[in-house]
Structure formats: structure tokens, C-alpha cells
Amino acid sequence: MAKKLRSRLFRDAASLKKEFYEHLSNLWDLSPTRQASLLKHLPKIVQASVARERMVLEQNAVKAVGGDTTKALQAINLLKFFAAQWDPFRDSLDDVLRDVENLGLFPEDQTKRSAAEEFLGKYFKFLGEDSARQKKMAFAVSTLPCLRGASAVIDYRVVVDSDFDWQKDDPSKYQPSCSTTVPIIIVRIRRDEGDPLIFQCEPEEMQMLIRQFQATLKELEKSRSLLK
């Protein structure tokens, strides 16, 4: 029985799809200059907690890398996959690089291989240094569903002054009367599990939520002083 578990990447290698190897080849085909440019943008992409922020960062990375946009995006998604496979409690730079070697993921061309080893060495070193943040996140998101995004739209409800009795009134003779509209805010909150939470509120209630959240952020900052 093995004394230490291999990396998640090693354990899941058998389930990797053909596209993974194609995208990996695209990554190795990038010039060292473009790989270095990509490496410069990866930390913020990996650490982004909001989907929209991550998309903007990825667009900036693609623009900075240049060349084939599709291949650049595929390389970014591949490296995000590596980050998702990284176990902050078990993995280390040397162990994961050894697994990459054993899985035959490095290119055969010696020039490309040297660049790939240097690239992954720097990237996995970052993931190792980022393990402390990942450990905190692992405990922070445990037990309860976590927020993954929110959106809001404005809806207008028509005020109907007339009163229709569905049992007694004739719909063909009914003449509805509408006087005004009322604005309503519809909020949709996405979580990492379960159905989205959808509710409506009035502008005053939205303002109440905003002010309450602002106060909670100040309370959070204050509470951090107790941990010192």
C-alpha cells in the first residue's frame, strides 16, 4: 500500500479526454515569450472568485499572449484544470512534476521540453505558494452552499384598478382599467449547489440590503483585529 497518495492529476489521468492532450500540445507550441506572458496573468485568473472578473482577466491574458485566440484560450483552460487538480493539503512542486513526467505529459522535442519544464515549474511553484489561500477557501466554503454570482433586473407591474369576478363577470364584456405601474427589482442569486435563489424587492428594500452588507463588511474588518 502506498504511503503517500499521488496527485489528483495522476489518479484521474485515465479519464482525461483526447482534447486534453491536444490543448496540452497547443500550450507547448507557444513560444517561451508567449508562455511567460501567459504565466504573468495566471495568478489573478486562478485566484479570481467572481466569474465575470475571471472572464475579463482571461480576455486580457489572451490579448497579451497574442497569436491564435482559440489556442490561447485552450491553454488557459488547461492551466485552470491543473489548478483545480492541485490539492493544497497533499501536493508539492516536486511530487506533481514527477507525476507529470510519469504520465508522459512533457513534449518529446528537447527544446520544447526544457521550456515546458521551466514553465510548469514556475506555475506549480505558484500553486504551492497559493496553498495557504486555498486551504482557507476549502474551510470557508465547507458545510453551506456558497455564493457564485448574482444579477438583478427591473420589472414594472401594472396597477389594475378594475375588479374582475371570474365567477360572475363575462370576460367578453370586461373593460379593464389600468392607471399606473410599480417598479419591482427581481434578484437572482446563484450558489455552487442547488437551484438559484430568486426573489423580488422594492427599491427601499434593496437599499436596506446594500447598507446592511456595507455595515457587515466593516464588521468583518473590525473582527480581523481579534485574530492578531
Side-chain angles (χ1 to χ4, degrees), residues 17 21 48 52 55 58 75 91 131 151 160 188 192 218:
K17 297 181 179 179
Y21 298 96
R52 182 175 178 82
M55 287 189 288
E58 289 174 4
D91 291 342
S131 289
S151 60
V160 180
R188 184 176 186 269
D192 61 351
K218 295 189 71 174

Side-chain angles (χ1 to χ4, degrees), residues 144-189:
L144 295 174
C146 298
L147 178 67
R148 284 294 175 264
S151 60
V153 297
I154 309 301
D155 187 25
Y156 280 89
R157 305 289 172 78
V158 176
V159 176
V160 180
D161 297 321
S162 52
D163 184 25
F164 177 76
D165 188 328
W166 67 273
Q167 291 180 315
K168 299 178 180 178
D169 294 342
D170 183 353
S172 64
K173 298 179 180 180
Y174 175 55
Q175 298 294 324
S177 174
C178 305
S179 58
T180 186
T181 59
V182 179
I184 293 293
I185 301 171
I186 300 177
V187 181
R188 184 176 186 269
I189 296 177

